[in-house]
């Protein structure tokens, strides 16, 4: 059977599993689980992978990670790792679908939290389950090995816990066999069925920051007898807005404080205030400078009010980088799957995804898959379709993904895997 015929068969098998993929997605969306708590999601994944008769199904990796190993029936040394993330977010679900989440996690650190798949990881998991089904059906013609990687804690575990992509690597998930390519995709508010790619950094470098400002507790009626940390906190928050002027304006950076945590009540000047936030850099080499300047800002602002401050940087994630040779190798596959006119170059973003831990180690690609009612304007940017549901960014409570695009995700995984194993999707001069 030639490559054209097997590509057609992959598409036929993907169409055959499309309804099941949608059903998985609806179930996962209705029953989301936060980072490092993906117990039932991992069980669903492992149960299905075991039903396919894979060579191995490894569970409990770095928490609730699952890796399915499919060894092809034809001799081959290449190993492709197809990755999906499984965790949800502490965000209300206002997507409006009849399968919307009503889950509340009362026990999660810092909670209780409403929980939803506002980032689309339900789509990623369902699509990869579909791809596993498709590829298991043609295993006798696969010259190499496929790893189906279902990763926990992409959104970041609680700060007192380990988890995510790096933890899977450190747990030995890819020691045997070692991938020769990693591939993943992320659903985004682009036109349905479009594939977006970028040569260079697709996503930025990221780290979580915790700033603790410490004063001296006293009664609100006698503030002179204590040290109020609040004015120092205000100075830090104001000063953060000027940090961007202290690094090159040609490489974007941002520092965002998303949560302020105080312990006290209205008539008490508290002892400490904790700021939780994120630092993002388009160029990873800027991260150390931004961290140093943010630490200086916190310490000196606190000192100006007689308080003290400490800054910690946690859960660092390197940028997602697509090299030119890998993109060149992957474009023919993407264009075959969705059509040449639907494969478009996208702008860089300051989002992050720890799939970078896989791509940077093993080589490979990470792309965007459009799932919303949109079109591209003259500059190539997505705009809402008149009369449609609009554009809603990931992490927004109203984020939505249309089911009719999920099968495209299945096909992308399947085609990328086959093309890499057969030597079509490899960087030039890589063999």
């Amino acid at each position: 059977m030639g490559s054209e015929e097997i590509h057609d068969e992959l598409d036929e098998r993907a169409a055959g599993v499309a309804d099941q993929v949608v059903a998985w997605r609806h179930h996962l969306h209705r029953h989301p689980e936060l980072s490092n708590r993906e117990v039932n999601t991992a069980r669903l994944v492992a149960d299905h992978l075991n039903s396919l008769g894979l060579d191995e199904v490894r569970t409990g990796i770095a928490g609730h990670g699952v890796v399915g190993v499919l060894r092809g029936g034809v001799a081959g040394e290449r190993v492709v790792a197809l990755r999906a993330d499984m965790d949800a977010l502490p965000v209300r679900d206002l997507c409006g679908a009849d399968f919307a989440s009503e889950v509340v996690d009362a026990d999660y650190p810092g909670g209780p939290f409403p929980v939803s798949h506002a980032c689309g990881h339900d789509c990623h998991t369902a699509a990869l389950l579909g791809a596993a089904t498709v590829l298991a059906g043609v295993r006798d013609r696969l010259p190499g090995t496929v790893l189906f990687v279902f990763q926990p804690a992409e959104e970041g575990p609680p700060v007192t816990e380990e988890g995510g992509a790096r933890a899977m690597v450190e747990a030995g998930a890819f020691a045997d066999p070692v991938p020769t390519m990693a591939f993943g995709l992320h659903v985004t508010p682009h036109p349905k069925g479009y594939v977006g790619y970028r040569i260079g950094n697709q996503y930025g470098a990221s780290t979580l920051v915790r700033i603790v400002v410490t004063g001296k507790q006293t009664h609100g009626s006698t503030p002179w007898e204590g040290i109020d940390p609040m004015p120092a906190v205000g100075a830090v928050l104001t000063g953060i807005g000027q940090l961007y002027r202290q690094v090159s304006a040609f490489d974007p950076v941002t520092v965002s404080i998303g949560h302020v945590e105080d312990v006290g009540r209205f008539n008490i000047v508290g002892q400490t205030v904790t700021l939780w936030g994120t630092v993002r850099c388009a160029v990873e080499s800027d991260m150390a400078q931004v961290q140093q300047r943010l630490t200086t800002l916190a310490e000196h602002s606190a000192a100006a009010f007689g308080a003290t401050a400490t800054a910690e940087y946690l859960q660092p994630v390197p940028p997602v980088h697509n090299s030119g040779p890998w993109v060149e190798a992957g474009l023919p596959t993407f264009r075959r799957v969705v059509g040449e006119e639907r494969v478009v170059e996208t702008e860089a973003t300051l989002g992050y995804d720890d799939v970078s831990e896989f791509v940077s180690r093993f080589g490979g690609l990470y792309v965007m898959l459009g799932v919303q009612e949109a079109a591209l304007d003259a500059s190539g940017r997505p705009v809402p379709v008149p009369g449609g549901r609009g554009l809603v960014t990931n992490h927004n409570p109203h984020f939505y993904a249309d089911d009719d695009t999920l099968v495209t995700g299945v096909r992308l995984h399947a085609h990328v895997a086959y093309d890499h194993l057969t030597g079509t999707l490899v960087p030039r001069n890589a063999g």
Side-chain angles (χ1 to χ4, degrees):
M1 179 179 286
S3 61
E4 183 175 344
E5 285 120 330
I6 192 143
H7 288 139
D8 289 342
E9 183 177 347
L10 294 175
D11 289 341
E12 291 170 4
R13 288 179 176 271
V17 78
D19 289 344
Q20 180 61 66
V21 170
V22 171
W24 280 322
R25 187 266 168 131
H26 288 192
H27 174 84
L28 294 169
H29 195 95
R30 189 178 284 114
H31 303 285
E33 295 172 301
L34 292 172
S35 300
N36 271 8
R37 304 295 186 273
E38 308 91 344
V39 177
N40 295 315
T41 303
R43 182 181 298 117
L44 182 152
V45 166
D47 286 349
H48 182 66
L49 295 183
N50 277 311
S51 76
L52 296 176
L54 303 188
D55 296 275
E56 296 179 65
V57 178
R58 305 166 182 169
T59 61
I61 303 171
H64 302 294
V66 180
V67 175
V69 182
L70 176 65
R71 295 186 176 90
V74 181
E77 296 182 354
R78 294 188 183 88
V79 180
V80 61
L82 305 177
R83 178 268 203 169
D85 35 15
M86 301 187 293
D87 55 330
L89 287 164
V91 174
R92 289 184 63 196
D93 193 340
L94 301 177
C95 72
D98 58 6
F99 51 88
S101 169
E102 297 180 357
V103 171
V104 174
D105 190 328
D107 300 321
Y108 205 74
F113 293 114
V115 186
S116 75
H117 273 295
C119 201
H121 296 182
D122 54 332
C123 300
H124 304 165
T125 299
L128 187 52
L129 286 172
T133 308
V134 169
L135 291 168
V138 296
R139 68 185 303 166
D140 59 313
R141 283 159 282 166
L142 295 180
T145 302
V146 185
L147 303 180
F148 303 104
V149 181
F150 293 85
Q151 180 203 314
E154 186 278 330
E155 299 291 352
V159 294
T160 59
E161 302 175 14
E162 298 295 324
R166 183 175 300 177
M168 290 192 77
V169 173
E170 292 173 350
F174 307 99
D176 183 22
V178 177
T180 54
M181 176 188 184
F183 175 74
L185 58 86
H186 205 300
V187 295
T188 60
H190 277 73
K192 291 194 292 185
Y194 276 61
V195 169
Y197 71 93
R198 177 176 174 80
I199 298 174
N201 285 358
Q202 178 82 58
Y203 286 165
S206 169
T207 187
L208 184 154
V209 59
R210 173 171 58 193
I211 300 172
V212 180
V213 180
T214 303
K216 179 182 177 182
Q217 184 166 318
T218 186
H219 196 283
S221 65
T222 56
W224 56 87
E225 294 184 358
I227 299 174
D228 190 349
M230 287 296 186
V233 168
V236 172
L237 293 173
T238 300
I240 281 173
Q242 293 298 309
L243 286 177
Y244 77 95
R245 301 185 66 187
Q246 300 174 30
V247 296
S248 171
F250 296 97
D251 297 319
V253 303
T254 185
V255 179
S256 299
I257 300 299
H259 181 58
V260 179
E261 181 181 351
D262 181 26
V263 180
R265 66 193 304 269
F266 71 95
N267 62 346
I268 295 176
V269 173
Q271 181 88 0
T272 62
V273 177
T274 303
L275 309 180
W276 297 91
T278 183
V279 181
R280 306 292 175 91
C281 298
V283 177
E284 189 173 17
S285 58
D286 287 339
M287 182 63 77
Q289 182 183 179
V290 174
Q291 290 180 358
Q292 184 271 322
R293 292 184 180 278
L294 178 56
T295 298
T296 299
L297 170 67
E299 292 175 347
H300 288 204
S301 296
F305 292 93
T308 60
T310 60
E312 296 176 271
Y313 302 94
L314 311 167
Q315 300 180 0
V317 175
V320 176
H321 183 85
N322 290 324
S323 72
W326 273 107
V327 171
E328 181 184 17
L331 285 176
T333 301
F334 303 150
R335 289 166 177 157
R336 182 196 320 119
V337 172
V338 301
E340 184 167 358
E341 73 286 354
R342 292 189 174 189
V343 178
V344 296
E345 192 165 4
T346 62
E347 297 178 343
T349 80
L350 289 176
Y352 85 84
D353 193 308
D354 66 356
V355 71
S356 55
E357 298 283 357
F358 305 149
V359 174
S360 62
R361 280 175 171 82
F362 309 122
L365 292 163
Y366 197 60
V367 300
M368 308 294 102
L369 175 62
V371 292
Q372 294 190 359
E373 296 175 2
L376 298 181
D377 65 14
S379 65
R381 296 181 177 179
V383 294
V385 172
R389 299 173 65 183
L391 294 183
V392 186
T393 188
N394 306 69
H395 289 220
N396 186 298
H398 296 275
F399 177 78
Y400 73 95
D402 280 353
D403 291 333
D404 54 6
T405 312
L406 297 180
V407 69
T408 305
V410 176
R411 294 175 59 227
L412 281 168
H413 279 299
H415 281 246
V416 165
Y418 181 80
D419 288 357
H420 179 66
L421 296 184
T422 55
T424 301
L425 201 170
V426 293
R428 191 173 297 175
N429 300 324

